[in-house]
């Protein structure tokens, strides 16, 4: 943090996370954590001070369509682009939908949403937002056919009803619709400028949000400045933001320790202990809906993994809690298909594989007709914890007589063997999914006809696909919970994509320079969600 122009010295409120994970019925609260207030690990101290901040992150935006938010697929892209662009709605600390560019909305029937737009909002070039910008942005997203167009669900039409309202019509009920609108790919774009060719959204950003881009050096840094035309600009205390791209975790740790960075993200849970003695440094664990999974390739001809009993035995042998405790130092919790920290998620403890025993798994292997099963387990090297998890899985599967050989590759080779080759050129592989903000959103990836990326290692199952569709469509919360539970159990029995544990998101804060607000739970990887409420602290 550097050179605040006005200083009111205040103390930030922080809470360190506990070291033991809890395995409980959904929704899971994540590792035991002391909160600053319900739903928040940290709450920014009130201050009239303004100043600058330096944030260090692990990777930069790297999207096929550059800076176009509609095709962005990574959490860092969503977060950084979200400083400039705004969505119609957002999510709060309990994953409830809250207003943003839409001041309110009505749902006159299950298929219709009518949004009232905040027409006081302006793009950073001074032009007022119009309902045409809103409607055409959504039409462009739907027509684009990207990952997020699918998450919007069965949109049949979008209409700028009048100067202040936009109406969206669905073909069928789709409960996650508002949650899908809450993420950066659904942001409102400057349609007028796009159509007249005065801006190329692949190379520059023009939004209605609280910040504008002053400079960007790919894989090096971003410089953001507060947007004076933002409708709540007077509340912004961090007026200049530098985001440095620092791939090495140890370098980010050193920056926090020495005070050259104010907020840093970590992927290694060891950061909690490695920085425990650092002066003015606090590390917290923000629970993400993201989770690690094990792919079990059912599509290789002649493989023992074509046999569902063998796959289920492998699933049963995996001790999710041991993975959380040993590989992630207790800073994670087990999950099923529906992320366990989201409201309405299924209970992990009730999964068929959790109810079964290792002895039963051994008997399934013995009765399968396959002897001396030997499997390869692929991981990619850019996320070291996957190697640790692989070793634990290797030990656990040895208990049921399955030998596992671990192979580590760079991301390009891993992606080619797992996702590109048909069928996938592997037996087992570890990876992770973004969990999003509604429990049914990620379930789409269990239908290969919808997902597109996993047809080389998973089968398409009518019963599971019907449950996936029903879970997204059911509006009665109780009935939806029953459907999602059945969905989790069915996917668990097929054992092709096996959810394991949540992926921790550790955030280090320099308490001598920055007082942030950080939610306990996050669905879209946006730890800068409350940046406009951060305050500087006197040196």
């Amino acid at each position: 943090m550097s050179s605040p122009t006005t200083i009111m010295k205040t103390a930030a409120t922080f809470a360190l996370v506990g070291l033991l994970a809890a395995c409980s019925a959904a929704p899971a609260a994540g590792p035991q954590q002391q909160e600053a207030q319900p739903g928040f690990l940290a709450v920014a101290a009130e201050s009239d001070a303004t100043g600058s901040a330096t944030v260090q992150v692990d990777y930069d935006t790297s999207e096929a369509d550059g800076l176009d938010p509609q095709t962005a697929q990574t959490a860092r892209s969503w977060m950084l682009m979200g400083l400039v662009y705004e969505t119609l709605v957002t999510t709060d600390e309990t994953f409830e939908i809250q207003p943003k560019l839409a001041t309110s909305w009505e749902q006159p029937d299950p298929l219709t949403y009518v949004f009232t737009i905040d027409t006081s909002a302006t793009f950073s070039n001074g032009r007022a937002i119009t309902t045409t910008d809103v409607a055409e942005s959504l039409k462009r997203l739907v027509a684009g056919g990207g990952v997020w167009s699918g998450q919007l669900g069965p949109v049949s039409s979008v209409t700028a009803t009048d100067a202040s309202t936009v109406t969206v019509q669905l073909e069928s009920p789709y409960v996650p619709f508002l949650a899908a609108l809450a993420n950066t790919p659904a942001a409102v774009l400057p349609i007028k400028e796009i159509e007249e060719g005065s801006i190329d959204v692949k190379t520059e950003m023009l939004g209605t949000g609280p910040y504008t881009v002053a400079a960007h050096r790919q894989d090096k840094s971003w410089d953001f400045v507060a947007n004076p035309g933002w409708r709540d600009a007077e509340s912004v205390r961090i007026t200049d933001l530098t985001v440095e791209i620092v791939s090495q975790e140890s370098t980010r740790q050193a920056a926090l320790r020495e005070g050259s960075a104010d907020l840093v993200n970590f992927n290694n849970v060891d950061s909690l202990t490695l920085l425990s003695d650092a002066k003015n440094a606090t590390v917290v664990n923000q629970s993400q809906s993201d989770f690690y999974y094990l792919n079990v390739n059912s599509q290789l001809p002649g493989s023992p993994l074509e046999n569902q009993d063998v796959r289920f035995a492998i699933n049963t042998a995996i001790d999710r809690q041991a993975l959380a405790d040993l590989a992630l130092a207790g800073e994670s919790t087990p999950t099923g298909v529906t992320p366990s920290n989201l409201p309405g998620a299924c209970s992990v403890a009730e999964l068929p594989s959790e109810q079964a025993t290792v002895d039963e798994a051994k008997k399934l292997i013995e009765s399968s007709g396959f002897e001396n099963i030997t499997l390869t387990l692929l991981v990619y090297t850019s996320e070291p914890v996957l190697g640790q998890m692989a070793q634990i899985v290797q030990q656990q599967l040895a208990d049921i007589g399955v030998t596992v050989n671990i192979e580590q590759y760079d991301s390009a080779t891993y992606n080619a063997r797992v996702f590109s080759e048909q069928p996938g050129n592997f037996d087992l592989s570890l990876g992770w999914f973004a969990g999003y903000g509604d429990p049914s959103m990620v379930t789409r990836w269990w239908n290969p006809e919808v997902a597109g990326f996993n047809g080389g290692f998973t089968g398409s199952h009518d019963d599971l696909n019907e449950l996936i569709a029903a879970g997204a469509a059911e509006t009665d919360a109780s009935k939806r919970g029953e459907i999602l539970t059945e969905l989790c159990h069915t996917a668990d029995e097929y054992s092709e994509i096996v959810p394991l544990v949540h992926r921790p998101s550790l955030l280090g804060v320099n308490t001598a320079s920055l007082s942030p607000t950080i939610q306990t739970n996050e669905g879209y990887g946006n730890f800068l969600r409350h940046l406009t409420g951060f305050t500087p602290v006197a040196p």
Side-chain angles (χ1 to χ4, degrees):
M1 191 86 175
S2 59
S3 303
T5 56
T6 309
I7 293 296
M8 177 186 294
K9 190 170 183 178
T10 53
T13 305
F14 284 98
L16 280 173
V17 298
L19 294 178
L20 296 177
C23 181
S24 60
Q32 296 176 3
Q33 304 193 66
Q34 180 183 351
E35 296 180 312
Q37 69 180 48
F40 292 90
L41 296 172
V43 176
E46 294 185 6
S47 175
D48 292 329
T50 58
S52 60
T54 296
V55 175
Q56 287 191 354
V57 298
D58 46 358
Y59 63 91
D60 200 356
T61 58
S62 182
E63 306 288 348
D65 287 332
L67 301 179
D68 187 339
Q70 293 192 340
T71 53
Q73 298 187 38
T74 68
R76 294 295 168 268
S77 295
W78 299 339
M79 180 178 74
L80 294 171
M81 294 175 185
L83 297 175
V84 175
Y85 290 109
E86 291 182 298
T87 50
L88 290 179
V89 296
T90 187
T91 56
D92 64 15
E93 69 278 7
T94 64
F95 295 103
E96 291 294 316
I97 304 298
Q98 300 295 336
K100 206 163 188 181
L101 282 175
T103 58
S104 63
W105 56 93
E106 298 176 352
Q107 196 174 0
D109 61 68
L111 303 182
T112 307
Y113 292 80
V114 181
F115 297 93
T116 299
I117 307 304
D118 185 352
T119 53
S120 70
T122 60
F123 293 99
S124 59
N125 64 358
R127 182 175 69 80
I129 190 175
T130 67
T131 54
T132 298
D133 290 307
V134 176
E136 294 303 319
S137 292
L138 291 179
K139 289 180 182 179
R140 182 178 184 268
L141 176 58
V142 172
V147 169
W148 214 255
S149 66
Q151 288 293 357
L152 279 188
V155 174
S156 62
S157 67
V158 185
T159 306
T161 319
D162 54 39
S164 62
T165 61
V166 170
T167 300
V168 179
Q169 194 77 23
L170 304 182
E171 294 176 357
S172 58
Y174 184 69
V175 176
F177 176 62
L178 291 175
L181 286 181
N183 197 19
T184 303
V188 175
L189 303 180
I191 294 299
K192 177 178 180 293
E193 287 78 2
I194 293 173
E195 290 182 344
E196 68 185 16
S198 62
I199 183 174
D200 180 359
V201 292
K202 293 184 178 181
T203 60
E204 53 188 324
M205 293 195 284
L206 175 62
T208 62
Y211 291 90
T212 62
V213 178
H216 176 218
R217 294 187 300 155
Q218 182 65 40
D219 298 323
K220 297 293 183 182
S221 65
W222 290 81
D223 292 321
F224 295 92
V225 295
N227 175 10
W230 190 53
R231 56 199 177 283
D232 198 19
E234 293 183 359
S235 69
V236 178
R237 307 265 66 87
I238 303 301
T239 56
D240 295 274
L241 175 70
T242 298
V243 178
E244 298 175 343
I245 314 301
V246 181
S247 60
Q248 291 295 321
E249 186 115 340
S250 59
T251 304
R252 300 198 303 277
Q253 290 174 353
L256 184 64
R257 184 180 290 276
E258 68 187 19
S260 59
D262 304 303
L263 178 64
V264 179
N265 89 292
F266 301 117
N267 298 314
N268 188 342
V269 294
D270 291 343
S271 296
L272 279 167
T273 52
L274 291 173
L275 292 166
S276 61
D277 63 341
K279 183 180 180 181
N280 300 324
T282 295
V283 181
V284 297
N285 179 7
Q286 184 180 61
S287 297
Q288 300 281 333
S289 58
D290 305 347
F291 58 86
Y292 294 107
Y293 59 77
L294 177 73
N295 290 323
V296 184
N297 190 348
S298 67
Q299 302 300 297
L300 277 176
S303 167
L305 300 180
E306 286 187 300
N307 185 307
Q308 184 174 332
D309 285 345
V310 172
R311 299 197 306 272
F312 184 75
I314 288 170
N315 186 1
T316 298
I318 293 174
D319 184 338
R320 293 173 172 84
Q321 190 61 54
L323 284 171
D325 291 340
L326 299 176
L328 298 168
E331 294 300 323
S332 179
T333 51
T335 185
V337 172
T338 55
S340 66
N341 67 331
L342 295 181
C346 60
S347 168
V348 178
E350 296 175 3
L351 292 174
S353 63
E354 289 289 311
Q355 295 289 310
T357 66
V358 172
D359 284 340
E360 290 171 334
K362 289 180 181 178
K363 291 178 181 178
L364 286 175
I365 294 293
E366 291 170 359
S367 63
S368 70
F370 292 96
E371 298 180 356
N372 302 318
I373 296 176
T374 299
L375 304 172
T376 58
L377 171 54
L378 272 57
V379 298
Y380 49 90
T381 55
S382 60
E383 186 139 355
V385 72
L386 291 177
Q388 300 170 37
M389 294 176 69
Q391 292 178 8
I392 297 169
V393 169
Q394 182 185 53
Q395 295 167 4
Q396 292 175 346
L397 296 193
D399 291 339
I400 62 170
V402 174
T403 299
V404 173
N405 297 319
I406 300 169
E407 298 180 3
Q408 302 190 50
Y409 296 99
D410 61 87
S411 295
T413 304
Y414 174 95
N415 289 337
R417 291 189 59 175
V418 174
F419 300 116
S420 298
E421 296 189 36
Q422 300 291 321
N425 184 12
F426 71 99
D427 296 315
L428 309 171
S429 66
L430 285 168
W432 65 274
F433 282 144
Y436 310 131
D438 180 274
S440 71
M441 292 176 74
V442 72
T443 67
R444 294 168 57 87
W445 305 149
W446 269 257
N447 181 346
E449 297 171 7
V450 172
F453 60 80
N454 54 10
F457 55 88
T458 63
S460 182
H461 310 285
D462 290 342
D463 56 343
L464 181 56
N465 295 343
E466 289 170 3
L467 289 167
I468 292 169
E474 180 55 63
T475 57
D476 181 275
S478 177
K479 292 180 180 178
R480 190 183 193 219
E482 293 174 1
I483 292 170
L484 292 178
T485 294
E486 186 179 357
L487 188 163
C488 286
H489 289 193
T490 303
D492 188 66
E493 290 168 346
Y494 282 123
S495 299
E496 292 171 309
I497 305 176
V498 178
L500 299 173
V501 295
H502 283 281
R503 185 174 184 259
S505 174
L506 304 179
L507 302 173
V509 183
N510 181 351
T511 57
S513 60
L514 184 67
S515 177
T517 295
I518 301 172
Q519 291 182 184
T520 304
N521 288 287
E522 170 59 37
Y524 295 118
N526 187 1
F527 57 81
L528 295 180
R529 181 176 297 277
H530 298 285
L531 177 63
T532 57
F534 288 16
T535 56
V537 176

